Amino acid sequence: MHYLTIGRDGAAEIEEKRSRFLCTLTRVENEADARAVVERLRKQHWDARHTCSAFRIQHSVIGPPPQPVERSNDDGEPAGTAGAPMLEVLRGAGVSDTVAVVTRWFGGTLLGAGGLVRAYSDAVRTALDEVGTLRRELVREYEIEVPYDASGRLETDLRSSGVTVLDTSYGDAVTLRIGAPPEDENRLESLLAELTAGASLLVPGTDRWVDR
């Protein structure tokens, strides 16, 4: 299970007939955080004519991603010419857990409905090109306890089989912590039984979303 979000927070600016459109993209985990970003930028750029916004939230601690929460706001621009086009760009890029805020400083020339839609859309596209995207995957963590004399070979064999080894800790025995999609559990159990002749067990832990 996976979905996309922005690679990092960032911003980009375009100009259309002397109007400046600054798009700020920020990664967020819930609607309250998204709204807080909008208000922060509204106060920061107090001299701007409009602070338009759109966001998609799909964050989930465990389990499959829910349907995204989507909101948009034209902030005084003609209805449907700012927030909705911005949201459509986020949808088209497939990114979630993201708020886009476009701050507009009016340049003195009216752009018309079509011009506004293009400008707000292009501002978000330009910012997305700037920050890039990354994939979030649902991963289940597992622990494997193994004797010291077998730990090095097992870690090598697991990595060779495409298993992600997250870390290694040392106590009375060596504990390997690995991460894999939950649906791979049966395959991992079979692989571990084969590599250790049944001497080590796979102990499931928690599920979490990780960036790739």
Side-chain angles (χ1 to χ4, degrees), residues 67-121:
Q67 288 299 308
V69 174
E70 300 181 336
R71 302 282 187 270
S72 64
N73 190 299
D74 294 316
D75 192 41
E77 294 282 29
T81 62
M86 293 166 60
L87 180 58
E88 192 57 38
V89 174
L90 295 180
R91 284 192 192 123
V95 296
S96 298
D97 295 358
T98 302
V99 57
V101 181
V102 175
T103 307
R104 181 193 181 189
W105 288 268
F106 183 54
T109 301
L110 297 176
L111 301 182
L116 288 172
V117 169
R118 285 191 299 274
Y120 279 100
S121 299

Side-chain angles (χ1 to χ4, degrees), residues 52-75:
C52 303
S53 59
F55 59 81
R56 303 182 80 226
I57 310 293
Q58 196 163 2
H59 178 76
S60 179
V61 177
I62 58 172
Q67 288 299 308
V69 174
E70 300 181 336
R71 302 282 187 270
S72 64
N73 190 299
D74 294 316
D75 192 41

Side-chain angles (χ1 to χ4, degrees), residues 145-164:
E145 191 172 280
V146 60
Y148 274 80
D149 59 359
S151 61
R153 177 178 293 277
L154 178 59
E155 182 171 348
T156 299
D157 289 343
L158 288 171
R159 292 184 188 277
S160 298
S161 300
V163 177
T164 301

Side-chain angles (χ1 to χ4, degrees), residues 26-42:
T26 306
R27 186 161 159 184
V28 291
E29 293 190 353
N30 54 59
E31 187 168 348
D33 288 348
R35 296 190 182 280
V37 170
V38 177
E39 290 310 307
R40 174 176 60 80
L41 291 171
R42 189 190 306 280

